[in-house]
Amino acid sequence: MILNMLQSIGAGVFDRIGGVGRASIMLFGALFGIPSIRKGFPLFVRQIYVVGVQSLTIIMVSGLFIGMVLALQGYTVLVDYGAEDSLGPMVGLSLLRELGPVVTGLLFAGRAGSALTAEIGLMKSTEQLSSMEMMAIDPLRRVIAPRFWAGLFCMPLLAIIFSTIGILGGHLVGVEWLGIDGGNFWSIMQSKVDLVDDVFNGVIKSIVFAIVVTWISLYKGYNAVPTADGISKATTDTVVQASLAILGLDFVLTVFMFSS
Amino acid sequence: MPEPIPQYSVEIEQLSFSRGDRPIYTDINMRFPKGKVTAIMGPSGIGKTTLLRLIGGQIKPDSGSIVFRGHNIPTLGRKKLYQVRQDMSMLFQSGALFTDMSVFDNVAFAIREHTKLPEDIIRTMVLLKLEAVGLRGARDLMPHELSGGMARRAALARAIALDPKLIMYDEPFAGQDPISMGVIVRLIKQLNDSLGLTSIVVSHDVPEVMSIADFVYIIADQRVIGKGTPQELLDHESPLVQQFMQGLPDGPVPFHFKAEDYHCELLGGVK
């Protein structure tokens, strides 16, 4: 009984280690895999459209609403202390440091990550990846690499767009609706938000999240059991694991970046 | 003194392969003559497709060698393996067409990836291949607009796009109506003879295979149980070979899956 339990725990651990190994090999293949500029660039551009441009709507709408809600909630608290002029920096810092990268990461995992996993899983189940291998074309180079680089390129940009629209949403509610002074909103925000500490650190966070989300999405698709059930599980795993990884990594990064 | 020209395109020696604890092949030997159609037949689920994947280097055997044009496939590194694969091709059971590309682009795919030919030459090459399979008029269709038989023929055009030396067919007749089946049977033979290919056809459709194969292997129980020309196999003395060739429901391969006594089980375990 105990022996069986130990055996199954051991097998589980080995399986995980094997999974990390396989994922690393795949990442290595993707990182150094773009065949040539002539062939790789059109694939990269197409993937930018699929994972980036097609995610724009959800990112912009979410950013707008989150910025507006943030301003509304912030105002109700700050106004009690007569500090409603601090609404600008509150909205700006919240979005640039945390909400921008984190919520974009979560939305990206749900919108683009799950689509990547399902697409690659289906390519596997319909033997498209195998047939590519048999045509002497490496699927890591042809399929995985352009998607990985496109994810890495798009997500930080989406996070910046999210934060920008969020701040505009905050302005809409705070200044246009609730009547805070517009000059104060922008000037206090400008004095409190630091380009390196806040903006750059936020971008670094979103780059880290981009690597993790895209990596998990591609690996889960590439390693999916090629059945309907297997692809469904892989897609769910992508969203769950990528979301948890974002939240966990966000805490770690925040400790290093902002705790002092 | 010049080296003798090898007679076989693929030679498999002492090949063993297992999935987990389940052996699929134990020490099998097979040879596939150059320029001929060799068929591999056997009951479902005995690993015929696995054998094609082993030849293509997509999986590695536990032991043994698979020599294709002088290269021992299992020992090749990734780069060399991809080089060697340019001389082989495979027609998958599902066709495995790229669903986001038209028929034309599917056929042009390998040419574009492996050569730097100008588009007008690629166009001519693709149209030649599509004409050979009778789908020149369907070049702008997407894979989901094709019938099963047409998809298989489009995949065949893609498989011969770069004039491979070896082409492997995985169940090319499965799920085809009689007309499509007749077309594919004819195409396999025609392409083999006109392009000088070596063809390996995995199938369990006995009459179709018998009509085009020059040599046949029958696999069961992890080994080769019969080999020879179609006529030799029809006269084979092994009851297992005869059961397979004549499609008898019961014989050495039992109809019933292993179970406890029928009457005993119906009576709830009372003997």
Side-chain angles (χ1 to χ4, degrees), chain A residues 3-42:
Chain A
L3 203 65
N4 279 348
M5 206 172 76
L6 283 175
Q7 202 175 15
S8 66
I9 292 172
V13 170
F14 276 125
D15 197 40
R16 287 291 147 105
I17 294 172
V20 172
R22 284 193 296 276
S24 305
I25 291 169
M26 196 204 74
L27 181 68
F28 186 81
L31 283 175
F32 301 101
I34 288 199
S36 65
I37 297 292
R38 186 178 69 88
K39 284 177 186 161
F41 191 69

Side-chain angles (χ1 to χ4, degrees), chain A residues 115-217:
Chain A
L116 284 176
T117 305
E119 184 192 14
I120 294 184
L122 268 172
M123 286 180 87
K124 190 179 178 187
S125 77
T126 51
E127 296 180 309
Q128 293 181 48
L129 295 182
S130 285
S131 71
M132 217 175 262
E133 275 183 11
M134 287 305 298
M135 283 184 218
I137 297 157
D138 189 350
L140 284 181
R141 287 176 170 226
R142 182 64 173 67
V143 177
I144 303 293
R147 285 164 175 77
F148 179 80
W149 286 108
L152 188 56
F153 179 77
C154 288
M155 215 178 98
L157 290 179
L158 290 171
I160 291 169
I161 292 170
F162 181 97
S163 300
T164 310
I165 302 270
I167 291 168
L168 290 175
H171 178 268
L172 200 67
V173 169
V175 178
E176 304 294 337
W177 181 21
L178 300 170
I180 297 171
D181 182 68
N184 280 348
F185 183 88
W186 290 120
S187 63
I188 300 176
M189 188 194 295
Q190 207 174 359
S191 67
K192 292 284 180 192
V193 174
D194 187 86
L195 183 68
V196 176
D197 284 348
D198 303 316
V199 180
F200 282 4
N201 277 338
V203 173
I204 290 170
K205 273 186 177 181
S206 64
I207 291 172
V208 174
F209 298 159
I211 294 172
V212 173
V213 173
T214 320
W215 186 16
I216 290 176
S217 311

Side-chain angles (χ1 to χ4, degrees), chain B residues 83-130:
Chain B
Q83 249 175 31
V84 171
R85 276 187 190 151
Q86 292 192 27
D87 282 334
M88 55 169 85
S89 190
M90 184 157 161
L91 180 73
F92 286 83
Q93 194 172 345
S94 59
L97 291 171
F98 303 127
T99 44
D100 57 340
M101 294 179 198
S102 68
V103 169
F104 183 95
D105 289 332
N106 261 285
V107 181
F109 183 76
I111 308 174
R112 285 181 180 141
E113 288 291 323
H114 289 304
T115 67
K116 289 181 178 172
L117 293 171
E119 268 306 304
D120 53 338
I121 293 183
I122 292 177
R123 183 175 177 274
T124 310
M125 286 173 77
V126 172
L127 291 182
L128 280 171
K129 305 299 175 190
L130 283 173

Side-chain angles (χ1 to χ4, degrees), chain B residues 6 21 30 46 61 64 70 75 101 103 109 138 146 160-161 195-196 201 214 254 259:
Chain B
D21 296 333
M30 297 171 103
I46 50 113
T75 61
M101 294 179 198
V103 169
F109 183 76
L146 303 177
I160 55 167
L195 300 178
V201 183
D214 297 299

